Amino acid sequence: MSPEYEAGFDVSGRLLAEERAGDNAPPLSVSELSAVLKRTVEDRFGHVRLRGEISGFKRAASGHLYLCLKDDNAVIDAVMWKGGAQRLPFAPQDGVEVIATGKLTTYPGRSKYQIVIDRMELAGEGALMALLEKLKAKLAAEGLFDRSAKRAIPFMPRTIGVVTSPTGAVIRDILHRLEDRCPTNVLLWPVLVQGQGAADQVARAVRGFSAMQPGGPLPRPDLVIVARGGGSIEDLWSFNEEIVVRAVAECSIPVISAVGHETDTTLCDHAADMRAPTPTAAAEMAVPVRTDLMAMLTEQGLRMDRAVRRGAAQARERLEMQARLMPTPDMLLAPQRQRLDQLSGDLGNCLRHRVSDARAHLNQAGGALRPALLHQHLARAKERLDRQRLRPDYLSRVFRDRATAFDRLSRLFVSVNPDLPLARGFARVMAEGRLVRSVAEAQAAGAVLLHFSDGAVGADVGPRSTSPTLEMAPPQAISPSSRSSRKAQERGENRQQDLFS
């Protein structure tokens, strides 16, 4: 190593770097070096095409796409700005092999390089079919293709909504077939059927028909046909987009999918209520043949007329049979006529007998109506009237009898008055509002109320002794005076015991 080289690297161990004469490599800043690298990479790789598998796909809220492209040995970061992402004909997913076209650039903030993608395509039909199968499995797992949820197509729709291109042959074929079979109202929602924005327009059209309300300015369709002519899988890819499939599955109106030819199958066909092999076949499925319908109606009318006539004929036959079994009016009226004749003949005799009896009764009653007999009846009536008149002696007797009866009742009332004996020293024993008539009742009550003439007082009654003893007074001599007084006392006691004396 030369001394000059060693001096350039400051072998002396100086702490500060110094500019040396003849040095043509001044130090660069990090930003300057990053800018140089960015220009070099972009100039050298201004247009590249990369084939790789998508990994780590993410769609930012701004609409930009961030992903990685990888193969067996290497990985490169990639970004696709919002404008290019909106032009993508398919929805990127992890695991899909694509060919990306763009330019390489660097990201100075992380010292990384990446590719800015301008256009991205599927790497061959195999990758496209893999993406299709992956999306089909996802939507099937959600139940969008469940056959049990499919609705029946209306037999005779009044209005049919058609989602297709307004300039293609598809709409003309549908209108021509409807005109031939059964003319009906058709509402066309014009859309793109392939290319950028086609999937969004088709989904918006299906949702627009579904959101229409009955009674609006335009009639709400009874049936929707989503139609497109044949083409390659790339041409029909708009009808495989998830947004279209979900719109068809969520439509509140029955949908017929008529995309492509008979051999073409899209996810829209699986989500629709019915699949038609061609747009013309969809028109045939939508409406019946008018002539066949009219012939059927005519046949039904004839059958109904024959049924009515046959029923009327059978009813007439039953009526005639019943009429033959029923009796004639002469037979029904014969007993009444005979009885009428009998009663008419008996009527004259009955009237004559009635008049004869009435005349005899009148003669008998007339003979009893003599003046002497009438005077006799009048005299007896006067006698009865005299007996019914109120004479003073009769009234006096009645008053005396009533007074005697009243005095007797008054004395009886006084004699039975329970409070009268209380004035003579007796007391009325009551317990709990009832009259006590015995010692047992008094002892059972325990407390009694004694009513006297001047008031009432309570008293407690003790239980009776189980072995009562009689206290005998000592014998005393009884004098005649005491004997007489005792007899008088006994007579007084006897009088006292008589409550009503």
Side-chain angles (χ1 to χ4, degrees):
M1 183 179 292
S2 63
E4 292 80 8
Y5 184 84
E6 293 179 357
F9 278 89
D10 198 7
V11 295
S12 62
R14 289 195 298 268
L15 181 62
L16 299 177
E18 295 180 356
E19 295 289 341
R20 295 185 179 275
D23 190 355
N24 60 356
L28 300 176
S29 65
V30 176
S31 298
E32 291 173 345
L33 179 60
S34 298
V36 172
L37 291 174
K38 182 178 181 66
R39 288 194 300 270
T40 303
V41 171
E42 290 180 354
D43 292 342
R44 175 65 180 83
F45 302 99
H47 178 78
V48 294
R49 297 187 69 199
L50 293 180
R51 183 187 184 109
E53 180 182 328
I54 296 177
S55 175
F57 174 77
K58 180 176 65 176
R59 185 185 296 271
S62 59
H64 307 321
L65 304 183
Y66 295 94
L67 62 146
C68 295
L69 295 177
K70 67 177 182 178
D71 57 14
D72 296 338
N73 300 316
V75 178
I76 183 173
D77 291 339
V79 61
M80 191 173 192
W81 306 127
K82 180 179 179 181
Q86 292 177 345
R87 295 191 299 269
L88 276 178
F90 67 97
Q93 296 181 12
D94 289 347
V96 177
E97 189 176 7
V98 297
I99 295 178
T101 302
K103 63 179 180 179
L104 289 183
T105 184
T106 62
Y107 182 49
R110 294 290 183 88
S111 298
K112 298 175 64 176
Y113 67 96
Q114 61 186 6
I115 179 172
V116 178
I117 301 175
D118 296 328
R119 187 174 70 255
M120 187 161 53
E121 302 165 331
L122 294 171
E125 188 172 345
L128 187 62
M129 295 305 297
L131 180 62
L132 178 63
E133 291 299 326
K134 187 175 181 180
L135 180 59
K136 180 179 179 181
K138 172 187 173 183
L139 298 178
E142 297 181 13
L144 270 64
F145 304 152
D146 191 1
R147 300 306 303 175
S148 61
K150 305 303 180 183
R151 293 158 295 186
I153 301 301
F155 176 73
M156 189 79 178
R158 294 178 178 270
T159 303
I160 299 176
V162 180
V163 179
T164 190
S165 172
T167 59
V170 171
I171 185 62
R172 292 195 297 270
D173 292 342
I174 292 176
L175 294 176
H176 179 70
R177 181 57 66 183
L178 291 177
E179 183 69 23
D180 290 343
R181 291 176 64 85
C182 184
T184 186
N185 295 326
V186 176
L187 288 179
L188 173 63
W189 197 303
V191 296
L192 293 176
V193 292
Q194 72 179 63
Q196 179 183 351
D200 293 335
Q201 292 188 18
V202 172
R204 189 162 51 247
V206 174
R207 290 196 170 96
F209 277 135
S210 180
M212 294 178 66
Q213 299 296 327
L218 292 176
R220 188 174 190 265
D222 302 315
L223 178 67
V224 174
I225 299 176
V226 179
R228 189 209 185 282
S232 63
I233 187 172
E234 292 85 1
D235 297 335
L236 304 180
W237 188 256
S238 298
F239 297 91
N240 289 320
E241 292 287 352
E242 183 175 355
I243 186 174
V244 174
V245 178
R246 291 189 181 276
V248 171
E250 295 170 0
C251 183
S252 60
I253 304 174
V255 179
I256 296 179
S257 176
V259 179
H261 294 308
E262 189 168 354
T263 57
D264 298 325
T265 303
T266 62
L267 297 183
C268 181
D269 297 335
H270 295 286
D273 297 291
M274 181 175 290
R275 176 186 179 272
T278 61
T280 303
E284 295 176 355
M285 295 177 180
V287 295
V289 179
R290 182 173 180 270
T291 55
D292 295 344
L293 186 60
M294 294 179 64
M296 182 184 69
L297 293 176
T298 303
E299 176 63 23
Q300 293 293 335
L302 294 176
R303 291 181 60 185
M304 182 175 63
D305 183 66
R306 289 195 297 269
V308 171
R309 290 179 183 275
R310 183 166 58 252
Q314 292 176 354
R316 189 180 297 109
E317 291 178 1
R318 288 195 297 269
L319 179 60
E320 292 175 354
M321 293 177 61
Q322 293 293 335
R324 285 195 295 269
L325 296 176
M326 294 177 63
T328 61
D330 293 338
M331 294 178 61
L332 293 175
L333 297 177
Q336 284 73 18
R337 288 175 179 175
Q338 184 177 0
R339 181 166 179 77
L340 178 62
D341 294 341
Q342 181 180 359
L343 293 176
S344 299
D346 295 341
L347 182 61
N349 296 331
C350 292
L351 289 177
R352 284 191 294 272
H353 287 300
R354 182 64 177 170
V355 171
S356 178
D357 293 341
R359 186 180 292 111
H361 183 69
L362 179 61
N363 293 333
Q364 182 180 2
L369 295 176
R370 295 188 298 275
L373 184 60
L374 293 177
H375 288 301
Q376 185 180 358
H377 283 294
L378 182 61
R380 286 197 296 270
K382 287 182 179 180
E383 292 178 359
R384 289 194 299 272
L385 180 61
D386 292 338
R387 288 196 297 271
Q388 297 298 329
R389 289 176 179 173
L390 299 177
R391 295 185 297 276
D393 55 348
Y394 175 75
L395 292 177
S396 299
R397 186 172 63 252
V398 171
F399 287 153
R400 286 195 300 272
D401 295 341
R402 295 292 186 271
T404 301
F406 181 75
D407 293 339
R408 186 168 57 251
L409 290 176
S410 297
R411 289 193 296 272
L412 180 61
F413 175 76
V414 171
S415 64
V416 298
N417 185 4
D419 294 332
L420 186 62
L422 301 181
R424 298 198 296 271
F426 290 94
R428 186 168 61 250
V429 182
M430 303 292 292
E432 297 179 356
R434 295 182 290 103
L435 184 64
V436 178
R437 293 181 176 82
S438 64
V439 175
E441 292 183 2
Q443 290 179 344
V448 297
L449 188 63
L450 303 178
H451 291 268
F452 297 95
S453 61
D454 58 347
V457 64
D460 293 332
V461 180
R464 177 185 298 178
S465 176
T466 56
S467 58
T469 59
L470 298 177
E471 294 182 0
M472 303 298 293
Q476 296 179 357
I478 300 175
S479 62
S481 59
S482 62
R483 185 180 298 112
S484 61
S485 63
R486 179 175 297 177
K487 290 181 178 180
Q489 186 177 358
E490 290 178 356
R491 285 195 300 269
E493 290 177 354
N494 291 335
R495 285 195 303 272
Q496 187 177 4
Q497 289 177 357
D498 188 2
L499 297 178
F500 307 104
S501 60

